[in-house]
Amino acid sequence: MSEIKLAVRDLSINFKTDGGMVQAVRDISFDLYKGETLAIVGESGSGKSVTNRAIIGILANNAVVESGEIIYDGQDLLKIPEEEFHKIRGDKIAMIFQDPMSSLNPIMKVGKQLTEAMLLKGKSTKRNARNNFNGKLKLLNECMDAVSDTEEKKKHNADQCKTFDSFCISSTKLESAYNEIHRKAVELQLDIDNSLFLISKKQNLDIKKFVKLVLKRIPETLHPDIVVMDDRLKRDIDVINAVANRVGSVKQLSVEEEGALSDISVILDASTKRPKPNYFTLGYYMMCNPEANVDDMSIEELTSMTRQFLDEHFMNTFIEEGARAIQYNHDQKLAAKKDLFQLTEQALEYFRGDIEKKRAYEIVEEVGKKVKEAIDHLRVVKNSAEHVFTSSALDALQKYFVGERKNPKEMHRHAKEQAKYDALVAKGKSPDWKVVPAALVDLDLAKKNIRAVFHALRASYRKEIEDSATFDSRKNMVELIDYLKEQASAVVYRITPKMAKAKAMKLLKEVGIPEPAIRYNQYPFEFSGGMRQRIVIAIALAANPDILICDEPTTALDVTIQSQILELINRIKAERHLSVIFITHDLGVVANMADRIAVMYAGKIVEYGTADDVFYDPRHPYTWALLSSMPDLDTKEKLEAIPGTPPNMIFPPKGDAFAPRNKYALQIDFEEQPPMFQISDTHYAATWLLHPDAPKVAPPKIVTDRIARMSQKEVKSNG
């Protein structure tokens, strides 16, 4: 099974409205695997967009997350603070919205909108990386001191950490210089390409000035690790030198001269894509051997030599000593976690009975303080349960006490409305309004949610205690060093406006926008709907995310453009190995792109399985209805519309929400919600028709005919 990138568990979301509490999402769960497309399908109002807005953390202010968790990279996205979420939103999880014009600033050029986010993220990344590096290294030094029994050993530890810091600084300086030269090469290539484009379009360009500028900037890019002067490059430089030396104004270039400039652009493009040296190892080598000349060595030779030198002279010893410190720190934190078991058990016992506000907050504060002390900050991968314990517990407490305060008022309001309604009925009248149900907080459930926070903490600690016997401190030290290397590299990473522009131009080209040099400086209103959607996709891809959420990105487009956008998303997904969540109300849209499908109705997932499961073996009557209403070129029968309308989720139905619109509904469908029945290892459906005692019901003929046609086509296509 592939790696799970995102896990949604028991998610329930309501909305506070003047008419009452709307139950938008009701207890849904699903997994998103690396490199797959999960389609969430259902009518408008089924909870598709709400689910995905919760994932990206942009729910409306009146939204209330009643329960559940959304796990990404070991963290519950519902519990982390906004400053942490800001590092994930856009960078790790990006979203393409339904209406491109609502996602684009109409008075800002598209190029500016593409580059703005890149530049802002670059600044924050550098600051965070410096803080992370210094904090982790300081803590490691303190732990190394803790396992040292002499002042001499402590001085040695300080020297070790200082040496590590020094050669990291040395390596980042080397990398920074490399990045600067690399940047100049990228910018020069961009300028050459743009100028050649203008020349091809017969645009005004001072060719002589441009050629002189190219000749001036080429030496800035000559570095043995980037662009090497060879016979081919020397020949091309001689050609454009001849242009610069012409007498008078140069009005046009010859074919040979244009070819020379194009050739230089190709050389620059290939050079900037070469692997760069391992500056982590090179930094230590150059610190120890400042007079060494490594210009004649290949990148592979240089990396091998410097890595061996680092291991022999420093790294092996540093890893072993650091591993002892990590083991010591792990043992200390583990003992603190064991002590917390008694404290959390006492807390759980208290929250099983009557809760007094002051005492409840005191308990959470006391446990939270101990949890904070038990966090192992040398771990690279965070334990989500302990990091969000205090905020989660306080949030659960707040919901309980808000309910305790507001429930009597809400009951009084409901009783008053009901009495008014009953009085009108008693007079023989038929009121044209309904009594808004009492929006009561289930205090028993609220207390259960408080206890759940403690149970989650205990479960995570129990697992750590069980795994402690196999804890590999050396492996953890290597992971810590890799983490510090990444942070040190991020400290010197700098994206300039010109580099951002170069990346934006490539993104525009990648998403199929022709002539990006011209389009870059245009406004959104100068683009068609399909083009605007491509720009929105480019903005979403700018930060190279892990997960891409597509919220009905083809709804506002015509059929031809829909197909192009779907093909584009499929191509980009394959090229970048993205995980995609695709939201749509049309099953036909995802027929050829979804790996798995979740069918939603009235806030619940009613069928869940692979694309083959849902299209070739649908089991829920709602899925049958969706397939029956889906047109294709081979359909001769009149398409069947789904009768009725979706339920008002202020007044949620007692049983199956689809029952009033379902001609196959059983009596129990109006009385009790069906559980999720397992059909196969990959296929599930929530319908009482799957109960062993239920009558056997076949899908509608239009559905079985469609399945037969699809099966025949697949057989023919496979030969």
Side-chain angles (χ1 to χ4, degrees), residues 478-515:
V478 172
E479 289 177 354
L480 178 61
I481 289 172
D482 288 340
Y483 173 81
L484 291 171
K485 283 163 58 179
E486 290 176 6
Q487 299 305 307
S489 181
V491 168
V492 299
Y493 179 74
R494 184 168 71 96
I495 184 165
T496 65
K498 279 199 172 183
M499 285 187 72
K501 182 178 180 179
K503 185 175 181 180
M505 300 277 269
K506 288 183 177 180
L507 279 170
L508 289 174
K509 188 175 180 180
E510 186 180 356
V511 299
I513 294 188
E515 301 181 339

Side-chain angles (χ1 to χ4, degrees), residues 639-706:
L639 295 176
E640 295 183 5
I642 305 175
T645 58
N648 182 351
M649 296 310 294
I650 296 177
F651 308 93
K654 183 179 179 183
D656 186 356
F658 189 59
R661 308 173 70 186
N662 179 15
K663 64 181 179 181
Y664 305 102
L666 307 174
Q667 183 59 40
I668 194 172
D669 282 310
F670 297 92
E671 300 170 355
E672 190 176 340
Q673 290 188 29
M676 189 69 82
F677 291 94
Q678 184 173 355
I679 302 161
S680 69
D681 291 341
T682 59
H683 194 187
Y684 302 83
T687 171
W688 287 113
L689 293 177
L690 294 175
H691 192 278
D693 298 333
K696 303 301 177 187
V697 177
K701 185 176 182 301
I702 191 172
V703 173
T704 55
D705 289 348
R706 185 186 298 274

Side-chain angles (χ1 to χ4, degrees), residues 458-475:
R458 288 168 61 87
S460 70
Y461 282 176
R462 187 176 292 108
K463 188 175 186 310
E464 285 191 30
I465 293 168
E466 291 171 354
D467 294 344
S468 62
T470 58
F471 180 77
D472 189 338
S473 57
R474 195 179 194 282
K475 179 183 175 184

Side-chain angles (χ1 to χ4, degrees), residues 85-101:
F85 213 138
H86 191 65
K87 300 174 185 176
I88 296 172
R89 187 187 300 116
D91 271 10
K92 304 296 183 182
I93 305 175
M95 191 164 186
I96 303 169
F97 293 92
Q98 183 173 346
D99 180 14
M101 277 308 284

Side-chain angles (χ1 to χ4, degrees), residues 30-101:
F30 61 82
D31 294 325
L32 178 68
Y33 296 97
K34 186 175 179 63
E36 80 157 354
T37 297
L38 172 68
I40 302 179
V41 184
E43 292 174 89
S44 296
S46 60
K48 310 183 299 297
S49 294
V50 173
T51 300
N52 288 281
R53 286 174 179 269
I55 292 172
I56 206 167
I58 55 171
L59 286 171
N61 292 332
N62 65 329
V64 180
V65 180
E66 294 292 343
S67 64
E69 55 185 13
I70 302 171
I71 306 298
Y72 172 77
D73 197 23
Q75 304 178 85
D76 186 353
L77 300 183
L78 297 173
K79 304 294 191 307
I80 62 174
E82 177 57 28
E83 56 266 25
E84 287 293 320
F85 213 138
H86 191 65
K87 300 174 185 176
I88 296 172
R89 187 187 300 116
D91 271 10
K92 304 296 183 182
I93 305 175
M95 191 164 186
I96 303 169
F97 293 92
Q98 183 173 346
D99 180 14
M101 277 308 284

